[in-house]
Amino acid sequence: MEAAQQILALDARYNSYRMSAFPQHRTLYIRRRNQLLRENAKLEADPTIRKKYYKLRAHILSQKYGALERRNQSGAGSRMSTQSMDSMLVMDSSPHFVPAQKRHHSTLDPIRGVVPTRSAEASRAMVGSVSLVEHYEFSSMEHILDQHKQAVTAIRFSNDDKACLACSSQDGNLSVFDLSTDPPSISCALKGHTQPVNDFDWSISNDFIVSVSSDGMCRLWDSISGKCLRVIRDTSGVQTYCCRFHPLNNNFVTTGNSKGQVKVFNVSTGMAVKGGNTKTAGSTLSLAFDSSGTVLWAGDGKGSIFAFYFDQVSGKLQRSKRFVVSPGYGISCITWRSWISREARDPSLLVNSTDGSLRLYRILPDGNIFLKRKFAVPHDGYNIRSAFCPLMSFLQGACVVTGSSDMSVYFFDVETGSIVNKLQGHSSPVLALCWAYDESLLASCALDGTIIVWKRNNTKS
């Protein structure tokens, strides 16, 4: 099984190159690969076959697309140069990091060129004269779900199925909804946590869900049957606030707790990874990986963002940089995104702070971050989450969307800072939101447990 995970991780790393023209097919490809690897594993009697296949496939992919990663171990330390799929990120001057060369060079200003601007001719040609406002108009509330009577803390569509939506709640449960039925039904309920569920994440193949709770437990679930497959207990006995699967190797799960500890666990064994334990300055409230899985970003309760280097083989963490965003105010959400555009491929961070702000940072080539735009968002101390708008890659500008304590969903134009749209329908603070993979639906959840699924204009059902 370990060899199969290595093969899947290898394919995922090269997926960006293989499917560069069809990003919507990437997740479908990886999911099918995972299914085939599982099925073939039952038929193979010789375990060495997978290892030989892995080496051969790695060689072929390296010859065709170029080596993504080169490692040269020397003594106790190591020097490493890692090429990300979507962006290059130089961490710091530590001997453990070597500056990586950028695969793409943007012709835009190194500070201002964060997003496709209105002078981006290629993007304008793709969308014609359609404005941002027109793109982010919503025709209706497609569904209203009220199965949970307490706050819904996080919400996510599965990676390639807009009819499959999951959420976590302060009532200690998680639900997976089937939106294809009328009315929508709960396909499975995940019950086992004894206190509020604060966060969860889908595996890349959608087979598993990992969740964390104030009961200090991290649970791995079968997303089809709802069965709890593994319980990972935090020996610190403290509340756990956030969790993320590693984007390329779902055998690793990273969690953050109220003591500021960031921990990496091996899902197969349920054990903490040796060297996969580090700390932030305050309670770790939010986590985000870059697409290559080499950099982990963490936001804490004291207003700081930390960048950690993640060793994809061992799961070890090493602190790189710390950035103070808003002293004394928690970072309730942090999201990484690379701007997939001909004009600008610069990686960015979208950050919610309980000081009542939403901030967009550009990640500079030296690993530092630069504040591009700050938006005022009613927060009132709630742990509110935001998201990049998927359509930003094809427009003359770009948008971000966030919940708020004034019961509204806000869309902001990154270039001008203006409000593009405002969705009203909730009767309590909007805590989180997410997009369906095909961008046709937006789901938002609120403090009263209500979930609204909004349908965007000019999209097919």
Side-chain angles (χ1 to χ4, degrees):
M1 196 62 179
E2 182 178 351
Q5 291 173 346
Q6 291 178 341
I7 295 170
L8 186 65
L10 177 70
D11 279 352
R13 289 168 56 202
Y14 280 97
N15 209 18
S16 178
Y17 296 108
R18 187 189 294 108
M19 304 280 184
S20 59
F22 303 98
Q24 69 273 21
H25 293 163
R26 294 177 190 171
T27 304
L28 294 175
Y29 171 79
I30 289 299
R31 187 172 187 178
R32 182 56 177 159
R33 283 288 290 161
N34 182 55
Q35 181 183 358
L36 291 174
L37 287 168
R38 287 172 175 271
E39 292 175 353
N40 292 336
K42 302 175 183 178
L43 306 176
E44 295 173 0
D46 185 0
T48 62
I49 293 178
R50 286 292 176 96
K51 295 181 180 180
K52 295 178 181 178
Y53 174 79
Y54 173 80
K55 293 181 180 179
L56 180 61
R57 187 164 182 80
H59 176 71
I60 293 173
L61 291 174
S62 176
Q63 289 293 316
K64 186 172 183 178
Y65 300 105
L68 294 181
E69 186 177 90
R70 293 183 177 85
R71 300 171 184 271
N72 181 23
Q73 301 292 339
S74 176
S78 65
R79 298 176 65 86
M80 185 172 297
S81 177
T82 302
Q83 183 172 5
S84 167
M85 287 187 238
D86 297 318
S87 63
M88 299 296 111
L89 183 58
V90 181
M91 299 300 297
D92 61 12
S93 58
S94 163
H96 290 274
F97 299 96
V98 179
Q101 298 298 318
K102 296 192 71 173
R103 182 164 51 89
H104 297 278
H105 298 275
S106 173
T107 57
L108 300 179
D109 182 273
I111 298 298
R112 290 164 44 195
V114 178
V115 300
T117 65
R118 300 191 187 283
S119 61
E121 296 299 332
S123 292
R124 178 182 289 117
M126 294 177 70
V127 300
S129 60
V130 179
S131 67
L132 281 174
V133 174
E134 291 173 301
H135 266 291
Y136 292 110
E137 288 181 345
F138 287 77
S139 59
S140 64
M141 294 182 188
E142 189 76 353
H143 306 289
I144 298 178
L145 311 173
D146 58 357
Q147 278 79 359
H148 293 275
K149 303 307 178 185
Q150 296 186 43
V152 174
T153 54
I155 188 168
R156 299 178 191 278
F157 281 98
S158 63
N159 292 313
D160 58 359
D161 186 357
K162 66 179 181 181
C164 184
L165 176 69
C167 72
S168 59
S169 173
Q170 286 189 352
D171 62 14
N173 301 319
L174 299 97
S175 298
V176 180
F177 296 94
D178 181 359
L179 302 184
S180 64
T181 62
D182 189 17
S185 59
I186 295 181
S187 57
C188 69
L190 314 181
K191 299 182 178 181
H193 287 293
T194 59
Q195 294 186 40
V197 182
N198 298 314
D199 196 14
F200 75 96
D201 196 18
W202 286 95
S203 67
I204 190 172
S205 62
N206 297 327
D207 294 330
F208 307 108
I209 290 176
V210 64
S211 63
V212 291
S213 166
S214 295
D215 62 12
M217 304 294 183
C218 174
R219 290 178 177 264
L220 181 72
W221 310 86
D222 184 310
S223 63
I224 304 299
S225 66
K227 180 181 179 181
C228 183
L229 304 176
R230 187 174 296 283
V231 178
I232 301 174
R233 304 175 186 275
D234 192 322
T235 55
S236 303
V238 295
Q239 299 182 53
T240 309
Y241 293 132
C242 49
C243 62
R244 288 293 177 269
F245 275 111
H246 187 275
L248 303 184
N249 184 356
N250 286 172
N251 199 39
F252 289 134
V253 168
T254 305
T255 66
N257 65 28
S258 60
K259 282 191 174 181
Q261 296 171 324
V262 179
K263 296 184 177 182
V264 181
F265 294 94
N266 186 305
V267 172
S268 298
T269 64
M271 303 296 291
V273 172
K274 185 177 181 180
N277 190 343
T278 186
K279 292 196 69 174
T280 58
S283 300
T284 306
L285 303 179
S286 52
L287 295 170
F289 278 101
D290 71 346
S291 63
S292 69
T294 58
V295 181
L296 173 67
W297 299 88
D300 70 10
K302 293 187 175 181
S304 296
I305 296 175
F306 290 80
F308 301 101
Y309 170 74
F310 190 101
D311 189 299
Q312 299 184 46
V313 176
S314 66
K316 293 181 179 180
L317 290 172
Q318 180 177 341
R319 182 188 292 188
S320 171
K321 292 181 180 292
R322 176 186 179 184
F323 310 97
V324 178
V325 174
S326 183
Y329 293 92
I331 305 299
S332 60
C333 180
I334 184 168
T335 308
W336 182 95
R337 179 69 186 257
S338 179
W339 302 79
I340 307 172
S341 164
R342 294 173 183 149
E343 292 80 21
R345 297 181 59 88
D346 303 301
S348 303
L349 290 179
L350 187 61
V351 176
N352 282 87
S353 172
T354 56
D355 66 354
S357 68
L358 174 66
R359 304 170 191 232
L360 177 68
Y361 291 92
R362 181 196 171 190
I363 303 173
L364 301 177
D366 63 358
N368 289 307
I369 59 176
F370 173 81
L371 180 62
K372 167 64 179 180
R373 185 74 64 183
K374 181 179 177 180
F375 312 93
V377 177
H379 244 272
D380 293 347
Y382 293 108
N383 287 332
I384 289 173
R385 305 177 193 238
S386 59
F388 286 103
C389 291
L391 289 173
M392 64 186 175
S393 304
F394 308 107
L395 298 174
Q396 299 172 16
C399 279
V400 292
V401 58
T402 181
S404 70
S405 63
D406 69 357
M407 303 176 286
S408 302
V409 176
Y410 287 94
F411 292 77
F412 291 101
D413 184 334
V414 166
E415 189 175 345
T416 65
S418 61
I419 297 176
V420 172
N421 197 359
K422 180 179 178 182
L423 303 181
Q424 295 177 300
H426 285 285
S427 57
S428 64
V430 181
L431 302 182
L433 35 76
C434 66
W435 287 96
Y437 81 100
D438 66 352
E439 308 171 359
S440 62
L441 300 175
L442 175 72
S444 57
C445 59
L447 188 66
D448 62 3
T450 302
I451 297 171
I452 297 179
V453 180
W454 312 81
K455 185 177 181 181
R456 191 169 60 82
N457 275 351
N458 303 319
T459 60
K460 297 180 180 180
S461 299

